[in-house]
Amino acid sequence: MKIDYLLIDNKKFQFDLGTTLIYSQKNSRGKTSLIRLVLYALGYPIPSTKGINFSKLNLEIGIIQRNQKMILRRHDTIINVEVNKNIRTYKLPEDFTEVLANIFEIEDPKLADNLLGLIYFDQDKGWTLLNRGIVIGKIRFKIETLLDGISNTDAEKIQIEMDSKKEERKVLLQIRTLLTLNMESRKNEDDINWSGIDEIQDQIRSIDMDINKKKFKISRLDEIIKSNDRFYKLIDDMHLVIKVDNRAIPVSKENIMDFNFNQAVLTAQIAREKRGLSDCIVQRNKMSKDLNKQLSLFSDQDQIRRFNDAIGKIDITQDSMESTLKENSREINRLKSLQKNSLGSINQVRKIYNTIVKFAKILGVQDTLDEDEDFIFTRDLKRYSGAKLHLLVFAYRMAVLKVVQNQDDKTFPIIIDSPMAGEVDAENVKKMFELLDQEFPDNQKIFASIYEYNRTWDAKIILDEGLMNSGSTSKKVSSEENNTTKNSD
């Protein structure tokens, strides 16, 4: 299958059936958007790029399939497929697998679902995706599922059973945790001081009595001071005079002995009582908080007891739970071994591994491979980084694509966004092109980059003015023209 053209709201982008470079001198000119719109037009659930809502566009893509032309027209979730003027309408995502089967002539849905992981290298995730993970958006690639699709093994059935056992294990572990908590809670129930509330309440009642006494005493002292003031004011108002040694002396609070002193003593007593009252109130507030905590604890303990009673009704002991978990682990390990043997016994595994070795030598990363064929199922990617990982990923996925194509006698387009990403230099990219030229001469190849790579391209799509603003967006390029415009790394 090869891509002929793409219409975006009637703006045409022409691809060559050989090699096409989507080029701009600077980044952020729409190269990635154009590639993703190609995939979106084919029916894939590709996320929109910044500033472009794919679902609002009217897209038409022409493809060539064994010398037969096919036209797909997509708007949002509706896609029409036209072959020889016969049109069939599909609804996405419900009919997605059927659309892929038409486009790529693939009958097995497991292979169809994983094909994008072989033919497309996304600029963000593409160069770290080895044998399982996200291709783009929510589209995933998994080598086990793909192998199951091309070999008719029971590996996928085993995987489903193993996933079920793993989910069962999660539930068992949660129940074990609850049982442990239940045992700990019951063990600690007797440690709770149930008399604490009565003790605190007795202390609060005692303090309340002290508070009331002090309030009463303060009130009484305050009334004495006020009574004294009223009495002496009355004496002033009466203008009383007393005779002492034949002398008339007017009576007032100024010449009544110790009046001010007595008032000062009373004021000091009030201050002392108020300070004591304040201390009592602080102490009472603290005890009230302690009481609330105890009451809350009682409430929590009541809820916990109810919870424990509910757990206690589950007819599972700690010992039986441990036994069940061990049996679950044995079953998961058995299924893993069965899956490994099932996949390892098929011819495609050896073919893929041998092809990976061949491609890794071309790319100069053969030292990254394990000697065992099980390498194709490895999960240990931490040992790889930078350019080594980039090239290993390329060798791996191209090797799987080679085996798939040879088995079904088909060719698929290879679409690569930003091959010179990360720590990959011009020499590494040169090796990647060498691999593609040597091993995939009949495949259509579409690249997006700000580099021209000193190569002859069958066609260029130039986006220097942006995806929807470029004047001449597509043109065939002769070898002579390429040599005059080439831009080395």
Side-chain angles (χ1 to χ4, degrees), residues 80 95 99 228 237 413 458:
N80 295 307
D95 302 326
V99 171
N228 288 344
D237 292 341
D458 296 318

Side-chain angles (χ1 to χ4, degrees), residues 266-455:
L266 292 171
T267 300
Q269 288 179 334
I270 290 175
R272 184 169 59 250
E273 294 298 329
K274 284 186 175 180
R275 184 165 56 247
L277 175 63
S278 177
D279 291 341
C280 287
I281 291 174
V282 170
Q283 189 176 3
R284 189 192 190 284
N285 289 339
K286 182 178 180 303
M287 288 188 174
S288 294
K289 289 182 180 178
D290 290 341
L291 178 63
N292 290 334
K293 284 184 180 179
Q294 291 290 340
L295 291 173
S296 175
L297 178 63
F298 269 94
S299 177
D300 291 343
Q301 288 297 326
D302 183 57
Q303 295 300 322
I304 290 172
R305 274 200 309 276
R306 293 181 185 177
F307 179 68
N308 287 337
D309 289 341
I311 295 176
K313 293 177 182 178
I314 300 175
D315 190 19
I316 301 176
T317 65
Q318 198 79 13
D319 291 339
S320 65
M321 175 57 63
E322 294 301 328
S323 176
T324 303
L325 278 168
K326 287 180 181 178
E327 178 61 31
N328 177 266
S329 295
R330 283 194 292 268
E331 184 64 13
I332 290 174
N333 290 332
R334 183 188 71 81
L335 291 169
K336 284 182 178 179
S337 178
L338 187 63
Q339 184 185 59
K340 181 179 178 180
N341 292 336
S342 175
L343 292 173
S345 65
I346 63 177
N347 293 329
Q348 286 87 344
V349 170
R350 175 168 290 277
K351 289 179 181 179
I352 288 172
Y353 179 75
N354 291 338
T355 308
I356 292 173
V357 172
K358 178 182 178 182
F359 288 4
K361 288 179 180 178
I362 296 174
L363 298 175
V365 290
Q366 62 270 29
D367 60 319
T368 62
L369 304 180
D370 296 338
E371 295 182 2
D372 194 331
E373 292 175 5
D374 285 347
F375 168 77
I376 71 171
F377 305 113
T378 184
R379 293 180 181 273
D380 183 15
L381 299 184
K382 293 181 180 178
R383 52 182 168 156
Y384 309 116
S385 62
K388 286 277 188 180
L389 176 60
H390 185 118
L391 295 173
L392 175 61
V393 165
F394 191 66
Y396 185 104
R397 286 158 61 189
M398 287 295 96
V400 180
L401 177 62
K402 184 78 171 180
V403 171
V404 169
Q405 289 191 158
N406 288 346
Q407 177 170 313
D408 294 335
D409 189 27
K410 293 185 177 70
T411 59
F412 302 103
I414 298 172
I415 304 172
I416 300 177
D417 191 357
S418 303
M420 202 157 154
E423 299 177 20
V424 174
D425 56 22
E427 187 60 31
N428 290 326
V429 174
K430 182 179 178 181
K431 293 176 182 178
M432 292 167 62
F433 281 121
E434 180 184 343
L435 171 62
L436 290 172
D437 293 340
Q438 178 180 318
E439 299 293 332
F440 299 90
D442 298 326
N443 289 71
Q444 181 184 32
K445 305 171 193 72
I446 299 172
F447 296 83
S449 181
I450 59 172
Y451 304 100
E452 296 182 81
Y453 299 109
N454 198 18
R455 289 179 62 83

Side-chain angles (χ1 to χ4, degrees), residues 130-308:
L130 186 70
N131 48 16
R132 57 183 72 82
I134 295 174
V135 181
I136 182 175
K138 296 182 179 179
I139 303 171
R140 304 187 70 87
F141 171 76
K142 189 174 183 180
I143 187 63
E144 291 87 351
T145 307
L146 184 142
L147 284 171
D148 195 30
I150 64 176
S151 61
N152 295 317
T153 67
D154 289 329
E156 186 67 12
K157 180 181 178 181
I158 296 171
Q159 182 64 49
I160 292 172
E161 187 176 355
M162 185 158 54
D163 290 341
S164 175
K165 289 295 179 182
K166 288 180 178 179
E167 288 299 318
E168 178 184 310
R169 182 171 184 80
K170 290 179 182 178
V171 175
L172 290 172
L173 289 171
Q174 290 172 349
I175 294 175
R176 184 176 70 173
T177 300
L178 292 176
L179 290 173
T180 302
L181 290 172
N182 177 262
M183 290 176 61
E184 290 294 325
S185 177
R186 292 190 180 279
K187 184 176 69 175
N188 294 329
E189 271 186 359
D190 295 336
D191 298 335
I192 300 174
N193 184 7
W194 301 103
S195 63
I197 289 181
D198 290 337
E199 183 180 341
I200 293 174
Q201 287 177 331
D202 286 341
Q203 291 174 354
I204 289 176
R205 280 193 290 269
S206 177
I207 291 175
D208 283 341
M209 290 177 65
D210 290 339
I211 288 174
N212 290 332
K213 287 179 181 179
K214 291 185 180 299
K215 285 183 176 179
F216 176 75
K217 190 172 183 178
I218 291 170
S219 176
R220 188 168 58 83
L221 290 171
D222 190 53
E223 185 59 35
I224 290 172
I225 290 175
K226 291 179 180 177
S227 295
N228 288 344
D229 282 336
R230 287 195 298 269
F231 174 70
Y232 289 116
K233 186 176 185 301
L234 178 61
I235 291 175
D236 279 344
D237 292 341
M238 293 176 65
H239 304 290
L240 295 175
V241 177
I242 61 174
K243 185 176 181 181
V244 179
D245 295 334
N246 296 320
R247 283 188 305 125
I249 300 174
V251 179
S252 67
K253 64 181 180 180
E254 280 75 15
N255 57 17
I256 295 176
M257 291 184 63
D258 297 330
F259 172 78
N260 291 329
F261 175 77
N262 291 334
Q263 293 293 81
V265 170
L266 292 171
T267 300
Q269 288 179 334
I270 290 175
R272 184 169 59 250
E273 294 298 329
K274 284 186 175 180
R275 184 165 56 247
L277 175 63
S278 177
D279 291 341
C280 287
I281 291 174
V282 170
Q283 189 176 3
R284 189 192 190 284
N285 289 339
K286 182 178 180 303
M287 288 188 174
S288 294
K289 289 182 180 178
D290 290 341
L291 178 63
N292 290 334
K293 284 184 180 179
Q294 291 290 340
L295 291 173
S296 175
L297 178 63
F298 269 94
S299 177
D300 291 343
Q301 288 297 326
D302 183 57
Q303 295 300 322
I304 290 172
R305 274 200 309 276
R306 293 181 185 177
F307 179 68
N308 287 337

Side-chain angles (χ1 to χ4, degrees), residues 2-29:
K2 297 185 179 182
I3 298 164
D4 184 20
Y5 67 88
L6 174 68
L7 280 174
I8 306 175
D9 288 344
N10 295 319
K11 188 173 184 63
K12 188 173 185 178
F13 296 88
Q14 184 71 49
F15 297 88
D16 191 87
L17 303 186
T19 61
T20 301
L21 174 65
I22 303 172
Y23 172 77
S24 67
Q25 292 183 343
K26 297 180 180 179
N27 284 315
S28 302
R29 291 293 187 270

Side-chain angles (χ1 to χ4, degrees), residues 63-158:
I63 64 175
I64 298 175
Q65 185 188 83
R66 298 185 186 274
N67 297 321
Q68 184 181 50
K69 290 186 178 181
M70 179 183 294
I71 298 174
L72 291 84
R73 298 179 181 89
R74 178 175 182 179
H75 179 74
D76 198 8
T77 60
I78 301 299
I79 186 166
N80 295 307
V81 179
E82 179 181 342
V83 181
N84 296 328
K85 296 185 178 180
N86 295 316
I87 300 175
R88 295 194 64 180
T89 300
Y90 299 95
K91 179 79 163 56
L92 300 172
E94 293 87 342
D95 302 326
F96 176 61
T97 301
E98 190 172 350
V99 171
L100 290 188
N102 277 279
I103 296 172
F104 296 112
E105 296 183 299
I106 296 176
E107 295 178 1
D108 193 286
K110 297 170 187 175
L111 174 57
D113 289 345
N114 284 274
L115 183 63
L116 192 64
L118 303 181
I119 66 175
Y120 170 61
F121 289 82
D122 179 61
Q123 66 170 350
D124 296 327
K125 300 180 181 296
W127 302 107
T128 56
L129 171 60
L130 186 70
N131 48 16
R132 57 183 72 82
I134 295 174
V135 181
I136 182 175
K138 296 182 179 179
I139 303 171
R140 304 187 70 87
F141 171 76
K142 189 174 183 180
I143 187 63
E144 291 87 351
T145 307
L146 184 142
L147 284 171
D148 195 30
I150 64 176
S151 61
N152 295 317
T153 67
D154 289 329
E156 186 67 12
K157 180 181 178 181
I158 296 171

